[in-house]
């Protein structure tokens, strides 16, 4: 039998496997305005605020992020926010609009309307639209950690060298690059970074490099130092509660272990090395002394709170109007209110800073926007927080890869909700509140396929 010759089959062309990082940043360039919004507050305070222009570089970057969203929606015809997300994020705009229209001077209220829409509606919506997946979420959260590290290093140096803001007669208060006029700026960004780093240490992303978890833990523990040296009681309370909530979402054993490590770290840093031990102890003790012999700052705060309540009782439905608190303050505050707070140090001469807000976001909204505004804003925030917690519980039970993002979202949203009991908006870090709100809203309201993937 003659042998049959068979021509060899043509060799299949080699399959090209795309590199996972190839083109990654080209598809993620819309995140750049968000990253800039997070990092630009680190610029020296005199450039971004503190007597300078009311619009800082971070505000400009946030505006670019909003414009990028608008352009992508118009050009790419992508599906905008879901109905639930649009309702939750857009609800506060109702209260803002009503408070502006019903204000005694609507023209004077317009700058307040723009600011509130920027921080509580437009920037959070832009974050939700620009984040494609959990990886983008981690990039923005990582930028918060970088900002916290920069400000924390500057703050610790201020304490060590005696070049910080004036506190108890010494220029030792850590304020970072924000200056004494924005006394809580550094504390705020350090708290954001600490919570994000702690969440990544507690639930490290899958397939992350081996060094990420210990590095995140070291960063979280290290940021305790500048946070303590900020001497900001409200930030301490908010950070402690947010950490407890995050730990409770990780399981009993890990929570107890982490609490033991944090407690030992605090004892070593404050007790062993004596880092601001006396001042920190005195400041912490003053938290429990608000009803007997409070210091002047506490007395002023209570007086401002009372004034805010009086404004609301006078205009319970729509409030006195956006930006109306300063104009109505003297008519509702007692004579015990001081004319302002003293600020000095950190490269700034002595200056008297007027008290123009109650240092309580909820009372500020109640006084200026009434029950309509408070219901809309608090209802929106509560929906985001509850939705974030529910999705995190569900993600843990199903073993989703993005549990770390859920921990970050819940911790940051808890911190913001608690800290607003002792602060309100103002200063270069204000826009960061919108980014934090957007991160939490993305986790709580994004489509399950986006929030649940790595």
């Amino acid at each position: 039998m003659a042998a049959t010759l068979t021509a060899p089959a043509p060799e299949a062309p080699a399959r090209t496997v795309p590199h996972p990082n190839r083109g990654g940043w080209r598809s993620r360039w819309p995140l750049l305005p968000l990253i800039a919004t997070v990092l630009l507050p680190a610029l020296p305070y005199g450039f971004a605020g503190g007597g300078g222009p009311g619009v800082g570089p971070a505000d400009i970057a946030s505006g670019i992020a909003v414009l990028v969203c608008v352009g992508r929606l118009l050009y790419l015809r992508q599906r905008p926010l879901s109905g639930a997300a649009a309702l939750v994020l857009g609800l506060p705009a109702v209260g803002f609009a009503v408070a502006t229209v019903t204000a005694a001077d609507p023209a004077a209220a317009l700058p307040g309307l723009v600011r509130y829409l920027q921080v509580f509606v437009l920037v959070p919506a832009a974050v939700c639209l620009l984040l494609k997946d959990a990886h983008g979420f981690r990039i923005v959260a990582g930028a918060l950690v970088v900002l916290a590290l920069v400000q924390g290093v500057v703050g610790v140096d201020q304490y060590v060298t005696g070049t910080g803001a004036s506190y108890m007669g010494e220029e030792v208060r850590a304020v970072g690059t924000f200056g004494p006029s924005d006394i809580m700026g550094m504390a705020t960004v350090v708290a954001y970074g600490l919570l994000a780093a702690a969440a990544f240490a507690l639930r490290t992303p899958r397939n992350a490099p081996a060094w990420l978890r210990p590095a995140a833990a070291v960063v979280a523990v290290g940021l305790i130092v500048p946070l303590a040296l900020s001497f900001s009681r409200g930030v301490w309370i908010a950070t402690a509660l947010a950490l407890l909530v995050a730990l409770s979402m990780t399981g009993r054993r890990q929570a107890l272990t982490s609490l033991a490590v944090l407690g030992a770290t605090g004892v070593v840093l404050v007790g062993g090395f004596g880092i601001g031990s006396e001042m920190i102890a005195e400041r912490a003790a003053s938290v429990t002394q608000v009803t007997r012999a409070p210091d002047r700052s506490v007395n002023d705060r209570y007086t401002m709170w009372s004034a805010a309540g009086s404004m609301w009782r006078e205009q319970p439905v729509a409030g006195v109007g956006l930006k109306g608190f300063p104009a109505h303050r003297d008519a509702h505050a007692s004579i015990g209110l001081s004319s302002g707070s003293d600020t000095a140090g950190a490269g700034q001469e002595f200056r008297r800073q007027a008290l123009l807000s109650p240092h309580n976001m909820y009372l500020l909204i109640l006084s200026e926007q009434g029950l309509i505004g408070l219901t809309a804003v608090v209802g929106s925030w509560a929906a985001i927080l509850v939705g974030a917690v529910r999705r995190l519980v569900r993600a843990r039970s199903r073993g989703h890869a993005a549990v770390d993002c859920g921990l970050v979202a819940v911790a940051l949203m808890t911190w913001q909700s608690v800290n607003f009991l002792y602060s309100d908006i103002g200063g270069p870090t204000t826009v960061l509140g919108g980014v934090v709100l957007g991160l939490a809203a993305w986790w709580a309201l994004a489509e399950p396929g986006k929030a649940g993937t790595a």
Side-chain angles (χ1 to χ4, degrees), residues 156 194 217-227 265 269:
V156 172
L194 190 156
V218 169
V219 168
V221 171
L223 288 175
I224 295 176
V225 177
L227 186 69
T265 302
L269 291 177

Side-chain angles (χ1 to χ4, degrees), residues 202 242-251 254-255 258-259 262 407:
L202 292 170
L243 279 175
L244 288 176
V245 170
L247 289 173
S248 68
M249 305 295 291
T250 61
Q254 188 171 13
S258 301
L259 284 175
L262 289 175
L407 272 182

